[in-house]
């Protein structure tokens, strides 16, 4: 499995600027504009209900605006079609003004697509009689269709899904395999995971300013200063994790190292581990192994989940963080398993009700749960196998959680989307 694990980490850990759902639509628009060969005069976009849910309430970096229309417009006018999830990294102030003007003139529309896919975006840009349509499906950067003036330029089967096209397979892996890999892999093979620490720590630094999102971290720090919170390790874990998410969801023009297509999942799998490593004054080699364990465990668990669902996937990324923290604090593979089982007993019901500033609240809750579960495991305590959906083995517990998200929460997801769309 060693080669598969390395390939999985390389594929799933990618820098991403902004929330990946609106960014996916921005990438659609940027690619469409390239094929149009002129500045778009009009944009007509459509997205899946799940992508609509995750794109309505989040700030698009560099724009100061929330939602999918500005993402489509700024992507079309200033996006880099070769930059993937960093499509908006070089957008200028002038291009942002032009995008806002398109919105003011009602030349941008975003509606719901008729699709069974959870992750789907399409952008149709036009200039005069010329029109280009680009579709992304099943993965945030997976282009499945390009059409120009009604003629197909490129097309693959969107409904077939991207799973078969993944450069890796974790079908035969176990949580124990993940742990063994992280402990024994040559560090040179995984040293790229350290970029997650630098990128996501920079977001945490930005979030500590209190200028973004719900400014959770700044509020916590004020309460530390007032004596209402202690400046202990738990507080620092929660504070730094929330700060990074606040900055990301609040529009900071800084990339996150994403995990499994999500910047918040990448933050969650990174920051608690970094904070604990700093507390212990761990060396770079130790941090590399801890981050490898955290991120790969997060990828392994998410591999059992749908691309988007009613389950907040920050919770599963936090299970990866629990693994990394537990090992740093002296735990072994059994400790890691116990901590993850306890977290499944704790966080299984947390819903995803759309990407927004409130995601930072879910990040802070998940970070707290992870550290609590680690402390329990280090004290030889866990949620027992006869309690709820938790099983005796960690892999069974993960399977039960993912079955809940994949099948049991389907109607929950529909209800969440209906509630959100009815608010508009």
């Amino acid at each position: 499995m060693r080669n598969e694990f390395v390939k999985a980490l390389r594929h799933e850990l990618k820098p991403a600027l902004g929330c990946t759902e609106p960014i996916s639509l921005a990438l659609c628009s940027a690619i469409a504009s390239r094929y149009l060969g002129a500045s778009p005069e009009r944009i007509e976009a459509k997205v899946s209900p799940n992508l609509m849910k995750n794109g309505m309430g989040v700030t698009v970096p560099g724009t100061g605006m929330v939602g999918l229309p500005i993402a489509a417009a700024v992507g079309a006018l200033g996006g880099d079609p070769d930059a993937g999830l960093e499509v908006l990294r070089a957008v200028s102030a002038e291009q942002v003004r032009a995008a806002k003007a398109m919105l003011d003139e009602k030349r941008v529309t975003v509606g719901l697509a008729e699709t069974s896919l959870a992750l789907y975006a399409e952008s149709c840009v036009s200039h005069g009689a010329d029109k280009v349509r680009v579709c992304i499906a099943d993965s945030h950067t997976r282009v499945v269709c390009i059409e120009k003036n009604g003629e197909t330029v490129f097309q693959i089967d969107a409904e077939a899904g991207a799973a078969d096209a993944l450069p890796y397979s974790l079908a035969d892996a176990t949580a124990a395999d993940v742990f063994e890999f992280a402990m024994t892999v040559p560090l040179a093979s995984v040293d790229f995971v350290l970029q997650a620490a630098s990128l996501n720590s920079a977001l945490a630094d930005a979030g500590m300013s209190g200028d973004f999102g719900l400014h959770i971290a700044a509020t916590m720090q004020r309460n530390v200063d007032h004596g209402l919170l202690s400046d202990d390790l738990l507080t620092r874990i929660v504070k730094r994790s929330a700060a990074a998410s606040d900055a990301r969801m609040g529009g900071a023009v800084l990339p996150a190292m994403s995990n499994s297509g999500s910047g918040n999942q990448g933050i969650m799998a990174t920051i608690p581990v970094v904070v604990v490593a700093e507390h212990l004054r761990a060396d770079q080699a130790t941090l590399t192994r801890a981050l490898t364990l955290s991120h790969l465990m997060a990828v392994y668990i998410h591999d059992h989940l749908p691309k988007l669902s009613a389950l907040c996937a920050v919770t599963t990324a936090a299970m990866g963080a629990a693994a990394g923290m537990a090992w740093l604090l002296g735990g072994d593979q059994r400790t890691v398993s116990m901590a993850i089982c306890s977290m499944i007993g704790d966080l299984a019901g947390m819903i995803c009700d759309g990407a927004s500033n409130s995601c930072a609240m879910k990040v802070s809750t998940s970070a707290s749960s992870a550290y609590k579960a680690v402390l329990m495991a280090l004290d030889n305590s866990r949620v027992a196998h006869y309690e709820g959906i938790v099983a005796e083995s960690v892999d069974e517990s993960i399977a039960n959680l993912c079955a809940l998200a994949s099948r049991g929460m389907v109607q929950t997801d529909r209800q969440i989307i209906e509630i959100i769309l009815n608010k508009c």
Side-chain angles (χ1 to χ4, degrees):
M1 290 299 301
R2 176 166 291 185
N3 289 338
E4 296 303 305
F5 285 149
V6 173
K7 287 188 286 188
L9 284 168
R10 288 196 176 276
H11 185 76
E12 299 295 354
L13 271 65
K14 294 179 180 176
L17 180 62
C19 179
T20 48
E21 275 71 59
I23 291 301
S24 186
L25 180 58
L27 181 60
C28 262
S29 291
I31 295 170
S33 289
R34 167 181 279 175
Y35 281 86
L36 185 66
S39 182
E41 296 173 334
R42 186 169 297 277
I43 304 168
E44 298 175 16
K46 295 180 181 179
V47 300
S48 61
N50 281 87
L51 197 143
M52 178 72 78
K53 177 181 79 170
N54 280 356
M56 293 172 62
V58 65
T59 303
V60 177
T63 68
M65 291 186 66
V66 168
L68 292 165
I70 187 62
V74 78
L77 297 182
D80 179 353
D82 297 320
L85 295 176
E86 293 185 276
V87 58
L88 301 183
R89 64 187 177 188
V91 171
S92 68
E94 182 179 346
Q95 289 164 336
V96 171
R97 285 193 293 272
K100 290 179 178 180
M102 287 191 76
L103 267 60
D104 291 340
E105 295 160 9
K106 303 190 183 307
R107 292 188 285 125
V108 181
T109 62
V110 179
L112 286 174
E114 294 184 7
T115 178
S116 61
L117 294 169
L119 204 167
Y120 177 85
E122 71 172 68
S123 181
C124 183
V125 301
S126 59
H127 181 97
D130 291 326
K131 183 177 291 187
V132 174
R133 175 175 169 263
V134 171
C135 307
I136 283 176
D138 205 55
S139 174
H140 294 88
T141 59
R142 181 178 179 249
V143 177
V144 297
C145 177
I146 302 174
E147 295 176 354
K148 183 168 185 178
N149 294 330
E151 295 186 3
T152 300
V153 176
F154 171 81
Q155 187 161 13
I156 58 176
D157 186 359
E159 297 291 337
D164 294 337
L166 287 175
Y168 67 89
S169 172
L170 303 184
D172 297 324
T174 66
D177 293 333
V178 171
F179 185 88
E180 190 274 338
F181 168 84
M183 297 303 100
T184 60
V185 63
L187 292 179
S189 300
V190 293
D191 58 1
F192 60 90
V193 301
L194 288 172
Q195 190 184 6
S198 59
L199 291 182
N200 294 338
S201 292
L203 274 168
D205 290 341
M208 287 302 302
S209 68
D211 295 333
F212 298 100
L214 299 180
H215 41 81
I216 297 167
T219 299
M220 291 181 70
Q221 184 56 53
R222 282 192 292 273
N223 283 286
V224 168
D225 296 339
H226 295 155
L228 298 178
L229 283 174
S230 62
D231 188 20
D232 57 12
L233 184 54
L234 172 59
T235 298
R236 293 198 296 274
I237 289 168
V238 173
K239 184 172 62 177
R240 295 282 291 173
S241 300
S245 183
D246 260 338
R248 177 177 178 264
M249 306 311 287
V253 189
L254 290 169
M257 180 62 81
S258 66
N259 182 301
S260 304
S262 164
N264 276 333
Q265 289 176 56
I267 286 167
M268 191 71 260
T270 303
I271 297 299
V273 175
V274 170
V275 173
V276 171
E278 290 173 348
H279 175 78
L280 298 173
R281 295 180 179 154
D283 59 23
Q284 184 169 287
T286 302
L287 176 59
T288 302
R289 291 207 184 277
L291 286 173
T292 298
L293 176 57
S294 176
H295 276 278
L296 185 57
M297 190 67 77
V299 171
Y300 167 71
I301 298 172
H302 198 272
D303 192 59
H304 297 72
L305 290 169
K307 294 292 181 182
L308 297 172
S309 72
L311 176 71
C312 175
V314 160
T315 62
T316 58
M319 294 168 197
M325 289 190 290
W327 177 71
L328 282 170
L329 291 167
D332 55 14
Q333 194 267 325
R334 179 174 176 271
T335 313
V336 166
S337 297
M338 292 173 70
I340 292 173
C341 286
S342 290
M343 290 188 68
I344 290 171
D346 188 13
L347 295 177
M350 186 181 288
I351 63 167
C352 171
D353 58 346
S356 63
N357 289 330
S358 65
C359 288
M361 292 291 292
K362 294 180 173 68
V363 165
S364 65
T365 298
S366 300
S368 177
S369 173
Y371 188 61
K372 175 176 61 182
V374 167
L375 295 182
M376 288 172 59
L378 290 169
D379 201 38
N380 200 36
S381 176
R382 56 158 280 189
V383 174
H385 68 276
Y386 49 80
E387 299 180 73
I389 66 170
V390 176
E392 179 63 34
S393 79
V394 65
D395 291 297
E396 280 187 83
S397 298
I398 291 168
N400 291 344
L401 172 68
C402 295
L404 180 68
S406 300
R407 300 190 291 275
M409 297 180 78
V410 172
Q411 182 55 42
T412 302
D413 199 38
R414 292 180 185 140
Q415 188 65 55
I416 292 168
I417 292 168
E418 181 180 331
I419 290 169
I420 291 173
L421 293 180
N422 285 340
K423 287 167 57 180
C424 299

